Amino acid sequence: MYCAANAAEMGLKAAVAEHGKTLGRKLGITGKGRCNVTNNCDRDTALKNVVRNPRFLYSALSKHSPADVMAYFEKLGVPLKTERGQRVFPVSDRAGDIVSALEQRLKKLNVEIIKGNCTRLLIEDGKCYGAVISGREVRASAVVLATGGFSYPATGSDGSGYALAKQAGHTVVPCQSSLVPMETEERWTARAAGLDLRNISMKLIRGGKTVYEDFGELMFMAYGIGGPTVLSASAHVPAEESGEYSVEIDLKPALSEKQLDSRILRDFSERKGMRFADSLRGLLPAPLAPVIADLSGIPAELRVDEVTKEQRRELGRLLKRLTLHITRLRPVEEAIITRGGISVKEINPNTMESKLCPGLYFAGEIIDCDALTGGFNLQIAFSTAYAAAVAISGI
Ligand SMILES: Cc1cc2nc3c(=O)[nH]c(=O)nc-3n(C[C@H](O)[C@H](O)[C@H](O)COP(=O)(O)OP(=O)(O)OC[C@H]3O[C@@H](n4cnc5c(N)ncnc54)[C@H](O)[C@@H]3O)c2cc1C
């Protein structure tokens, strides 16, 4: 949609093929329905947040930066605001406003919307000259594959674009989940399922080394853990090696071990005679208190004044280093982003044109690039779409 709108603004006749009932279904559910449309940062900061193939995106982000994306949507009449972490949202908090702004723009520019499934590229003498959409041959001087990844297939992004790219001889780097919840060996997470912890810090560990650290929200699920810090951490986990990772949660990051011990001691002295199992309610959210009581190994019936110094210190260590062992990432269908896709070695980074099949271009998540949360993935989609539009308009 972004590519077609920009191409039409540059004077081209553009059309959008969409096999879903409506345009921009995934866009409409982004940012929990609020659409974190980009990140209010400079090019280099945006590139630092790209996990896979940032160098490939240097030119596209130089041509069309987060500031350009913000200016574009403001121009379309969608006022934006910047929140924590420089995340940009529509002032209305409605992702639908971004979708309808693009739809209206396409309408105004007379961009044809072809409702149908693209099943084949038209290629002759190694050049792409159109596509077959629901049985109809549509000819064009350029075709942009912007079919997304495999994630959330109900939105229409069902991975069918990869087969089209293969038809043109492209290599698809194997796809896996990124920005996705994780399953854990520990089953106790089910007892705290739905609990959304705020202000925790967490570390992703492999072979004793910290691979990633974060601070913020974490959620317990029946099968493991999710929430923003876990989604970001998942970007650093190769799916096939996920069993080698663990997550260490600090439930009390504002307190040192010593300060935490004093706090526990104070709580215990205020609750003299109380069963240990009932004593943690002031310290922890209700669903987590009995879990931690069990994990501590301190007998539930023990009176708090009978808890030994060593037991208390162990409890403190548990609260500072609650460890969960990862068994696997949740499947790609549940992921915010698909990692992998069309190999960047086969795409010209300045124009997004295929190096194998002239006339064929790529934009967005179908390319083997992915970024952290914060609006960077949509920025990648917009920047690559813009680069393709500029290149095609120069044909
Ligand atoms: C729940 C969720 C929340 C997210 N939140 C954010 C966020 O707040 N900020 C952010 O930056 N990123 C977010 N993302 C990621 C972001 O949505 C994607 O990276 C982005 O939408 C990719 O854009 P795209 O145009 O490449 O692909 P898509 O948005 O997936 O669009 C591809 C379109 O092509 C259509 N299509 C596919 N195959 C065919 C075919 N063969 N024929 C015809 N049409 C076809 C699909 O129906 C679809 O409409 C989120 C993702 C999810 C799943």
Side-chain angles (χ1 to χ4, degrees), residues 181-330:
M182 303 184 199
E183 293 183 18
T184 60
E185 214 169 281
E186 290 76 9
R187 305 310 323 152
W188 61 256
T189 58
R191 292 171 64 194
L195 175 65
D196 195 358
L197 293 173
R198 277 150 205 265
N199 303 323
I200 56 92
S201 70
M202 63 91 85
K203 284 181 185 165
L204 178 73
I205 294 170
R206 183 191 194 177
K209 280 202 183 126
T210 301
V211 182
Y212 177 78
E213 274 182 84
D214 205 351
F215 176 87
E217 283 172 54
L218 180 144
M219 211 171 175
F220 290 114
M221 321 282 220
Y223 53 74
I225 46 176
T229 57
V230 174
L231 297 189
S232 297
S234 74
H236 303 274
V237 179
E240 66 284 2
E241 293 161 17
S242 48
E244 292 169 28
Y245 288 77
S246 59
V247 165
E248 202 177 83
I249 307 166
D250 184 347
L251 294 165
K252 297 288 167 191
L255 303 177
S256 67
E257 274 192 32
K258 210 166 155 219
Q259 286 168 324
L260 180 59
D261 190 50
S262 314
R263 163 77 200 270
I264 297 171
L265 195 59
R266 199 183 69 215
D267 278 13
F268 282 1
S269 58
E270 281 169 5
R271 293 171 169 80
K272 271 207 174 90
M274 187 185 272
R275 288 168 75 233
F276 165 68
D278 300 328
S279 68
L280 297 176
R281 297 225 178 104
L283 198 64
L284 294 167
L288 197 57
V291 175
I292 295 291
D294 286 353
L295 293 174
S296 74
I298 303 173
E301 298 304 324
L302 200 70
R303 305 285 133 187
V304 283
D305 26 310
E306 290 162 8
V307 173
T308 66
K309 193 169 161 187
E310 197 34 52
Q311 283 174 322
R312 207 181 61 230
R313 296 239 162 103
E314 264 314 307
L315 173 64
R317 277 194 279 273
L318 181 64
L319 295 171
K320 295 289 286 175
R321 288 196 289 276
L322 181 61
T323 302
L324 288 150
H325 297 88
I326 308 307
T327 50
R328 64 173 198 134
L329 301 176
R330 292 293 284 177

Side-chain angles (χ1 to χ4, degrees), residues 17-20 24 26 29-31 35-36 116-118 146-148 152 155-158 160 164 335-337 363-366 375-378 381:
E18 171 57 62
H19 65 181
K26 184 173 280 178
I29 60 160
T30 51
C35 186
N36 178 191
N117 191 25
C118 177
T147 47
Y152 280 63
T155 60
S157 324
D158 57 3
S160 54
L164 297 171
I336 299 287
I337 274 289
E365 201 174 319
I366 189 170
F376 302 106
N377 285 297
L378 281 173

Side-chain angles (χ1 to χ4, degrees), residues 16-75:
V16 175
E18 171 57 62
H19 65 181
K21 279 202 184 91
T22 51
L23 289 177
R25 276 190 73 191
K26 184 173 280 178
L27 191 55
I29 60 160
T30 51
K32 293 187 179 152
R34 299 202 300 135
C35 186
N36 178 191
V37 68
T38 185
N39 193 280
N40 193 351
C41 66
D42 57 24
R43 176 200 62 201
D44 293 346
T45 311
L47 287 171
K48 277 191 194 125
N49 283 276
V50 177
V51 184
R52 276 279 271 249
N53 295 317
R55 277 176 52 201
F56 172 79
L57 294 168
Y58 185 90
S59 166
L61 270 155
S62 302
K63 276 197 197 84
H64 205 63
S65 67
D68 295 322
V69 168
M70 289 169 69
Y72 191 79
F73 283 105
E74 300 250 352
K75 189 185 82 187

